[in-house]
Amino acid sequence: MELITDVSRGTWLLARAGAFGTVGGTVGTGFDASARILHPVSADREDRSIVDEREDHPVLESARWRWSDVASRTGGILHPLVQWRRLTGRTDESDLVFEDGWRVHPPEEGWFEPILLAALTEHLAEATSTPDDLVAAVWGGWGDLSGGSTLAVGWQGADQATAEEIEAMQRYVVEQQAVHDGEQAAIRAALAVERFDWPHRECFLLSMTLPQLADPTWLDRARIGTVADLRHTPQMLWPEDHSWVLASEIDWDSTIVAGSRALVDAVLADDRFEAFPVDEDSDLTWDGDLVNG
């Protein structure tokens, strides 16, 4: 996986950027059709009769839920522009807790689950003539990729540290800080390339292939050059023939795929995805959900 330094490979898409907060502002305009794929949520069933020393409840089982599972409990309505906060009645990003012990966590934002991405590659491959030549745009603001992360070191022990232990800890901190600073400087140097200036989201570009993404474990081995691990799914992805675009905006809990009508129809018909048809002018902000008040 290599950095693409020729950002002109994204010029065609920049010319098609729509209004921020819309489908077109997320994935680009001018495609025949678009689909919105809701990110699934994780849920845990707790034993609320037991509380541990951290005031947590033991987890009896875990599951992956669809938004429709949540809607059946909240009475909310699922529709193409549904928003999590409107569906759940939450005013923040806290968990949704049900009386039968289930705790549902908010959907991931800016992250398209690799298992779902792998499933989607089956349809994407049918819709492009260049499956081995993809351009991926990854937001440069992620903490682990900005070269600006901080190191925190603390003391953990039942007793107060002795003078010798404090001195040893101070030496350790100095040593680890030097290592950390060197690693961050290496990341900044490695990623000091011209960025793809998508509106409001400056990204760097990487080369990828559909066969690579068809393996849901690809992130376990993904590295940018020889310096930085890649722990993020792409914010945008397109093939060299420009036949489609996939986008997971960092603040959205859904992923948009835009391309031919045949591609979008195939995605909508695949029950592995909780997907809905949307238009390029569709409002993806919280205010776009006019059904759930």
Side-chain angles (χ1 to χ4, degrees), residues 7 23 27 50 54 56 64 67 76 85 92 118 141 161 163 178-179 183 185-186 241 251 281:
V7 296
V23 168
V27 77
I50 301 175
R54 293 174 298 181
D56 292 329
R64 188 175 72 167
W67 290 34
R85 290 195 182 188
D92 54 28
V179 171
E183 293 173 344
D241 66 1
D251 286 333
D281 294 326

Side-chain angles (χ1 to χ4, degrees), residues 92-243:
D92 54 28
E93 297 302 313
S94 61
D95 294 341
L96 186 63
V97 180
F98 294 106
E99 292 183 357
D100 62 356
W102 281 101
R103 176 183 296 273
V104 181
H105 310 288
E108 295 276 2
E109 297 177 346
W111 165 266
F112 190 41
E113 190 174 281
I115 293 176
L116 289 181
L117 178 55
L120 189 61
T121 61
E122 299 173 20
H123 302 300
L124 298 176
E126 292 290 328
T128 180
S129 62
T130 57
D132 295 321
D133 189 4
L134 305 184
V135 178
V138 178
W139 184 49
W142 296 118
D144 58 324
L145 297 178
S146 66
S149 71
T150 57
L151 178 69
V153 179
W155 170 265
Q156 183 177 6
D159 302 320
Q160 184 173 349
T162 64
E164 292 78 9
E165 290 172 330
I166 292 174
E167 183 179 353
M169 176 61 72
Q170 290 173 336
R171 289 196 302 270
Y172 174 80
V173 170
V174 171
E175 294 169 358
Q176 293 304 307
Q177 187 66 60
V179 171
H180 181 76
D181 289 347
E183 293 173 344
Q184 296 306 298
I187 290 174
R188 290 194 298 272
L191 300 182
V193 296
E194 187 177 359
R195 300 298 174 94
F196 173 62
D197 196 20
W198 186 253
H200 308 285
R201 296 291 181 259
E202 187 180 78
C203 301
F204 54 84
L205 301 181
L206 296 173
S207 61
M208 290 187 181
T209 71
L210 281 180
Q212 174 188 41
L213 300 177
D215 179 355
T217 67
W218 69 275
L219 273 175
D220 295 341
R221 302 172 297 280
R223 288 184 62 78
I224 304 172
T226 60
V227 177
D229 291 328
L230 180 63
R231 302 183 180 92
H232 309 277
T233 55
Q235 272 55 75
M236 303 183 79
L237 182 73
W238 64 85
E240 181 57 25
D241 66 1
H242 305 169
S243 55

Side-chain angles (χ1 to χ4, degrees), residues 8 36 54 60 70-71 76 107 128 133 188 207 252-253 259 261 265 290:
S8 67
R36 180 186 180 213
R54 293 174 298 181
L60 301 176
V70 176
T128 180
D133 189 4
R188 290 194 298 272
S207 61
W252 296 162
D253 46 24
R261 172 60 62 183
D265 285 346
L290 303 177

Side-chain angles (χ1 to χ4, degrees), residues 21-29 31 33-39 80-81 83 111-112 117 120 124 234-238 244-249 252-259 263-264 267 274-280 282-284:
T22 67
V23 168
T26 303
V27 77
T29 61
F31 296 97
S34 303
R36 180 186 180 213
I37 303 173
L38 303 179
H39 296 170
L81 300 183
Q83 289 293 319
W111 165 266
F112 190 41
L117 178 55
L120 189 61
L124 298 176
Q235 272 55 75
M236 303 183 79
L237 182 73
W238 64 85
W244 48 258
V245 175
L246 185 73
S248 301
E249 212 287 321
W252 296 162
D253 46 24
S254 58
T255 289
I256 306 297
V257 57
L263 168 61
V264 171
V267 172
E274 192 170 33
F276 297 89
V278 288
D279 299 321
E280 61 185 35
S282 294
D283 185 352
L284 295 177

